[in-house]
Amino acid sequence: EGKDVLLIFTGSDWSKEAAFFSNNVLTETFKTEIATHYTVRFVDLPHNPSAAEREAVQKNYLLFSEYAVPDIPYVVLQTAGQDMYASAVINTDIKSGTQLLEMLNELSMQRGRVIEARKRIESTKGPEKAQAIDTFLSIVGNAESHRYDSLRLQVPTLDSDNKAGLKGKYLLISADIRAKSFAKQGEF
């Protein structure tokens, strides 16, 4: 679809505030409206899931962990390519879908920086590309995600003469990535 991605993390039965948000902000009208702007994923983590919900809840736990969700409700905005450009806890003063849309519009102002940083990676080579990767990783949200490991692993080769001053930093990062991969596979 090419739309940006919106993740909305909730705990629908965690508290009165969480229940209010799920029932009064995330209305069907809001869901219809927001779907015209974003590809939306609602990530709910109820305290007492039914047997039928348990598998989905296990997957949602992983998403809560991957995005380091500090509190709920919480939103994450990503480009269609899944580069995060904004995230925020939704304060209790957000009482309607209209207020949440306004908040999302404000958060979207950060999108351009991530898009431009990603484009710079694609349009450069050598040490300049190594610098572009480093800049992108300092701007994008959730930069520690494994989805960016392939970028990190490129930097030592791109900056082989250390012209950008990044070779040492990314050699250590690359070694850490490889060590974790070996440990996961039991090859240590």
Side-chain angles (χ1 to χ4, degrees):
E1 292 180 37
K3 289 188 223 175
D4 283 5
V5 177
L6 169 63
L7 302 174
I8 300 178
F9 293 88
T10 59
S12 56
D13 64 353
W14 284 26
S15 66
K16 285 191 286 185
E17 293 84 8
F20 177 89
F21 179 81
S22 293
N23 295 325
N24 298 298
V25 177
L26 301 181
T27 62
E28 290 307 314
T29 302
F30 171 79
K31 290 176 182 179
T32 301
E33 171 67 19
I34 201 70
T36 65
H37 304 283
Y38 299 98
T39 298
V40 184
R41 170 106 191 258
F42 296 93
V43 186
D44 191 29
L45 198 60
H47 271 303
N48 301 306
S50 67
E53 295 173 316
R54 285 199 180 104
E55 186 177 330
V57 167
Q58 287 176 340
K59 290 177 183 176
N60 290 351
Y61 268 115
L62 294 175
L63 288 171
F64 266 71
S65 177
E66 179 180 344
Y67 289 95
V69 175
D71 200 359
I72 54 156
Y74 186 74
V75 293
V76 170
L77 290 167
Q78 299 176 319
T79 64
Q82 296 189 333
D83 292 330
M84 185 196 303
Y85 56 88
S87 63
V89 172
I90 300 169
N91 296 321
T92 56
D93 60 340
I94 302 290
K95 304 272 187 212
S96 70
T98 302
Q99 289 176 319
L100 182 55
L101 277 171
E102 289 170 5
M103 177 187 164
L104 295 172
N105 287 336
E106 288 176 25
L107 289 171
S108 292
M109 291 180 193
Q110 301 172 51
R111 182 180 190 274
R113 289 183 60 219
V114 171
I115 296 288
E116 288 306 312
R118 173 61 88 172
K119 284 180 183 175
R120 184 153 162 66
I121 292 170
E122 295 163 5
S123 67
T124 54
K125 295 179 181 175
E128 190 178 347
K129 183 172 184 168
Q131 185 63 54
I133 290 170
D134 188 62
T135 299
F136 172 77
L137 291 172
S138 71
I139 293 171
V140 72
N142 204 21
E144 56 285 341
S145 172
H146 294 296
R147 76 174 55 127
Y148 300 118
D149 284 353
S150 64
L151 287 176
R152 288 183 196 87
L153 291 169
Q154 291 178 47
V155 174
T157 303
L158 293 168
D159 193 24
S160 60
D161 296 331
N162 205 30
K163 288 181 181 173
L166 298 169
K167 184 177 181 179
K169 172 183 174 181
Y170 282 91
L171 278 173
L172 289 172
I173 290 170
S174 296
D176 183 59
I177 291 168
R178 288 186 180 98
K180 286 177 181 172
S181 175
F182 289 138
K184 254 184 167 173
Q185 298 169 15
E187 299 175 18
F188 49 91

